Amino acid sequence: MDSKKKWLRYLPMILGGLLTVLIAVTVFVLKDKFQKPPQTKKVVQQITMIQPPPPPPPLHV
């Protein structure tokens, strides 16, 4: 075989390997991007209690 054509025998395996690596890297990057749930910021809610008015003062007779 000619030395120029010898590497052509391995071309399909090389391209298949490169395609496999490309797909694996793409899946790894996308899995890392979409698997994490969005971080929610914890917010403390302030509650104001409503109190009834004080009782009226005692009446003097």
Side-chain angles (χ1 to χ4, degrees):
M1 261 192 183
D2 202 342
S3 65
K4 290 184 179 181
K5 292 185 180 181
K6 193 172 186 178
W7 69 274
L8 288 176
R9 277 179 54 190
Y10 301 108
L11 186 62
M13 287 189 292
I14 293 171
L15 291 177
L18 287 175
L19 184 64
T20 303
V21 169
L22 180 68
I23 290 172
V25 167
T26 304
V27 167
F28 182 73
V29 168
L30 290 177
K31 177 188 70 113
D32 222 22
K33 185 175 182 179
F34 289 115
Q35 191 173 16
K36 296 177 184 171
Q39 296 288 333
T40 57
K41 186 176 177 184
K42 293 185 178 180
V43 179
V44 177
Q45 294 184 351
Q46 192 172 14
I47 299 174
T48 305
M49 299 295 291
I50 300 175
Q51 296 180 352
L59 292 173
H60 288 85
V61 190

